[in-house]
Structures are given as C-alpha cells and as structure tokens.
Amino acid sequence: MAITRVEPVRVQVRTDWLTGRPREIRWGEHVFSVTNVAAVRRETAAYPVEVGPSTTFEVDTIGARLALTFRHRGRRWTVDGVDTTERRAA
C-alpha cells in the first residue's frame, strides 16, 4: 500500500474550526467525508521559496486515502496523492 503521486488537483476543503484538520473534501461534484487523519507533515521551517510553506495531511475517506496539501502562501488546498487499495484489518 503506497500513495501514488498525481498532478496536484485543486479541491475545496471544510476544516474543523478549532484544530484546522480536514473534515470534508469537495472534488468537483464528489464530496468525501474524512474518517481519519493518519499523518500530518508541516513544512513551515524548510520549504522551496517559490512554493512557500505547506502542511500535508494523509486522510482516510471511504474508499481511498488521500495526500491533501494546504499551501499557506496561496491559501489553497490540493490533492497530491491517492491510494485506493482496500485496507484490511491485520
């Protein structure tokens, strides 16, 4: 199981008001509820100058895990990776 990198796709994200964690992702006509935040990576200290700081969330939705990135300078969300393999309890 590995996230496949894709060309960044702009999406709309609803976040938790207090923590800023993603709760819902709107990708075109589709709406995905976030069931779990698996990992958070903050790139606020070292980042490419042309891109600016960002925070990447690996989130689980029904049917897929997404690499969801928030670009702080542009204040926009993108999906940068997708893993659609079925997860099984170990």
Side-chain angles (χ1 to χ4, degrees):
M1 152 175 55
I3 290 186
T4 304
R5 295 288 169 200
V6 297
E7 187 69 29
V9 177
R10 265 186 113 159
V11 292
Q12 294 178 337
V13 177
R14 290 182 57 199
T15 60
D16 184 90
W17 202 79
L18 296 175
T19 65
R21 290 185 174 230
R23 290 184 359 193
E24 184 179 86
I25 303 163
R26 182 177 298 272
W27 188 344
E29 304 263 330
H30 304 285
V31 177
F32 302 97
S33 294
V34 174
T35 58
N36 181 40
V37 176
V40 179
R41 185 177 71 236
R42 291 182 175 86
E43 295 175 349
T44 55
Y47 52 84
V49 174
E50 63 277 356
V51 175
S54 65
T55 303
T56 300
F57 298 87
E58 281 190 25
V59 297
D60 292 325
T61 64
I62 296 175
R65 176 175 277 193
L66 305 173
L68 188 63
T69 302
F70 179 70
R71 306 261 182 227
H72 297 269
R73 183 175 290 162
R75 302 198 49 82
R76 68 180 180 140
W77 289 90
T78 59
V79 171
D80 294 337
V82 177
D83 178 16
T84 58
T85 58
E86 187 175 324
R87 289 178 216 344
R88 297 174 197 202

